[in-house]
């Protein structure tokens, strides 16, 4: 079983309830990597017997640090329409709410379609780039990240940079076929933009993360285990909070997901 | 009382519960303008006696068309930390959930701050531009919108455009001092990008809307009743759904909010 499948595994625990546990393979500075927390919340809806269609939107609010160990998820389909379904999720440890989430699922129909944004052009292929190989944190070891620009600073030298943009190839390590849950986690794999911008390590924590799924299951299956391209940036850093946005592209240049988050920082 | 204050007015109805009603002044094609729905959900947390700090993030999921008339909102502070507070909200009509929302509030501290995105430069001032004056829908009448580019097509001639970008000055009509609730509504005032891109009117409906508040109350008070600048675009249109993102700037060039949504369309 892949580390990721262990991390997002859930056991049914009655109506709308599931049990899971944090995974040491995805440990972060404090508690687990937020990407796996978001993925396991999405997985509760994906696994739910009432589920309709595929995910379109996911928002995860990180209410507190999650303690290593067991947790419970409540996932409720609060509204099911002809082709869409609205979910609310709550992740609890004991009596405490550690995360909340909402998701929209849908059955898509074929329609007029058109890209507007395009993948950055003339990128070096992942096999020509070196993998980030510093053992920074367990969760980072679970990704093969190859930076084209804006990588984790080799040294936190406090030399402020003009911008916080990053472009990287990324896939699960070891390789694993892409699906909605792993794509949701990859959407949180972009390092905090403040590290790239300030080249300083400061305490940070994502407070809210939203992902839009542009791909369907067939597009994800076609991408299989190969690296996807991620491109991330921030708009604004102000008084304890900054945002960041990223796009995730298939290696054929199709937009798979776009993702946005707002992050607390102490400085 | 301003139309907007009427539209977001709530009456306490017991623990964590409030009553409100849709407002004809903000009627949309079907039901009310989504911006006022988002604003009234935010207002439930703003009005709640347990509220801590100011909004940082708001996500609203539109689960169904809202019927004209009364609704009830449940707003619960599911987790209160030292400086942050996490909210879940549910808007119901009878036994049906019509919208769900989550919000994060925070008490900000002064920190290192820096913009990364900058407001588009060399823009014509609003007073030199004509107001959109076609009586399209009641809610549109409640805004003074002055387009610099990408306005509502004068004619839906089905001439597909190369992109869907818009830049506009916008304020409440009649003028009203900017606050978090009105800023949240303005974040949904950008026309569906598919109208701009395809110059065709097709049935659409926002399914999920996320707004990040970069401004605090003092910055909003300083902006007062003057028009803010909005800049919007899409990344991708595919099989029934497209995303759109926008930034809202003060007239002094400070980022007040960034906002993202995913929208259903039929084509």
């Amino acid at each position: 079983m892949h580390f990721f499948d262990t991390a997002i595994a859930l056991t049914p625990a009655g109506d709308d309830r599931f049990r899971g546990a944090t995974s040491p393979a995805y440990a972060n500075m404090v508690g687990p990597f937020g990407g796996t927390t978001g993925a396991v919340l999405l997985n509760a809806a994906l696994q739910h017997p009432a589920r309709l269609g595929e995910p379109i939107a996911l928002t995860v609010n990180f209410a507190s640090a999650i303690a290593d160990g067991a947790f419970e998820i409540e996932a409720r389909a609060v509204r099911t329409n002809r082709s869409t379904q609205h979910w609310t999720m709550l992740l609890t440890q004991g009596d405490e709410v550690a995360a909340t989430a909402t998701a929209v699922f849908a059955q898509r129909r074929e329609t007029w379609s058109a890209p507007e944004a395009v993948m950055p052009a003339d990128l070096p292929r992942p096999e020509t780039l070196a993998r980030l190989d510093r053992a920074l944190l367990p969760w980072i070891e679970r990704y093969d990240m190859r930076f084209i620009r804006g990588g984790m600073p080799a040294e936190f030298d406090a030399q402020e940079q003009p911008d916080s943009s990053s472009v990287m190839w990324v896939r699960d390590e070891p390789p694993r076929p892409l699906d909605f849950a792993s794509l949701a986690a990859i959407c949180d794999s972009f390092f905090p933009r403040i590290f790239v911008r300030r080249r300083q390590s400061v305490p940070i924590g994502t407070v809210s993360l939203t992902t839009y799924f542009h791909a369907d299951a067939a597009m994800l299956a076609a991408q299989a285990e190969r690296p996807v391209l991620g491109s991330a940036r921030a708009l604004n850093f102000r008084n304890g909070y900054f945002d960041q946005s990223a796009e995730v592209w298939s290696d054929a240049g199709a937009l798979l997901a776009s993702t946005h988050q707002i992050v607390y920082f102490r400085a």
Side-chain angles (χ1 to χ4, degrees), chain A:
Chain A
M1 201 170 178
H2 193 283
F3 292 113
F4 186 75
D5 294 293
T6 305
I8 66 162
L10 291 169
T11 310
D15 278 1
D16 296 338
R17 301 191 78 82
F18 301 86
R19 282 196 204 97
T22 63
S23 189
Y26 287 89
N28 202 348
M29 198 87 74
V30 179
F33 167 49
T36 41
T37 304
V40 75
L41 282 156
L42 180 65
N43 200 28
L46 286 166
Q47 299 292 313
H48 197 291
R51 189 250 298 186
L52 173 87
E54 298 181 344
I56 294 290
L58 171 69
T59 293
V60 181
N61 295 309
F62 298 91
S64 74
I66 292 173
D68 291 328
F71 54 76
E72 202 161 308
I73 293 176
E74 182 193 68
R76 293 204 305 133
V78 294
R79 177 106 190 191
T80 301
N81 300 312
R82 203 163 34 187
S83 73
T84 62
Q85 189 173 52
H86 286 258
W87 290 86
T88 63
M89 286 86 92
L90 217 52
L91 187 152
T92 51
Q93 291 188 307
D95 292 337
E96 299 280 359
V97 172
T100 71
T102 60
V104 183
F105 280 61
Q107 288 178 317
R108 288 177 182 261
R109 291 187 318 109
E110 211 168 300
T111 66
W112 168 86
S113 298
E116 184 150 319
V118 293
M119 186 163 90
D122 300 322
L123 297 173
R125 301 288 315 159
E127 57 276 15
T128 67
L129 299 166
R131 181 182 171 200
L132 175 69
D133 66 352
R134 280 168 292 142
L136 296 162
L137 286 166
W139 78 265
I140 299 175
E141 301 292 297
R142 298 276 60 80
Y143 290 97
D144 181 310
M145 298 180 177
R146 299 177 187 226
F147 283 93
I148 295 164
R149 63 164 297 185
M152 180 67 90
E155 186 186 357
F156 283 121
D157 57 10
Q159 297 300 305
E160 193 173 321
Q161 301 299 301
D163 73 68
S164 71
S165 308
S166 292
V167 180
M168 68 168 173
W169 293 105
V170 58
R171 63 160 171 78
D172 287 304
E173 173 59 35
R176 177 183 176 281
L178 190 66
D179 58 18
F180 287 110
S182 66
L183 179 57
I186 284 171
C187 283
D188 196 33
S189 72
F190 301 93
F191 294 134
R193 297 298 92 195
I194 198 168
F195 292 2
V196 179
R197 174 75 187 256
R198 298 193 76 193
R199 298 171 72 101
Q200 277 187 47
S201 174
V202 298
I204 62 94
T206 299
V207 296
S208 187
L209 167 65
T210 288
T211 296
Y212 300 138
F213 299 95
H214 300 273
D216 54 29
M219 289 171 70
L220 301 185
Q223 177 63 27
E225 302 183 347
R226 299 187 309 281
V228 294
L229 187 87
S231 175
R233 75 214 66 84
L235 294 173
N236 198 44
F237 304 81
R238 205 181 71 77
N239 286 357
Y241 293 87
F242 67 89
D243 69 300
Q244 60 187 59
S245 286
E247 293 84 50
V248 178
W249 306 88
S250 77
D251 55 1
L255 187 63
L256 302 176
S258 53
T259 182
H260 312 283
Q261 60 179 273
I262 192 149
V263 184
Y264 163 80
F265 70 96
R266 205 162 74 217

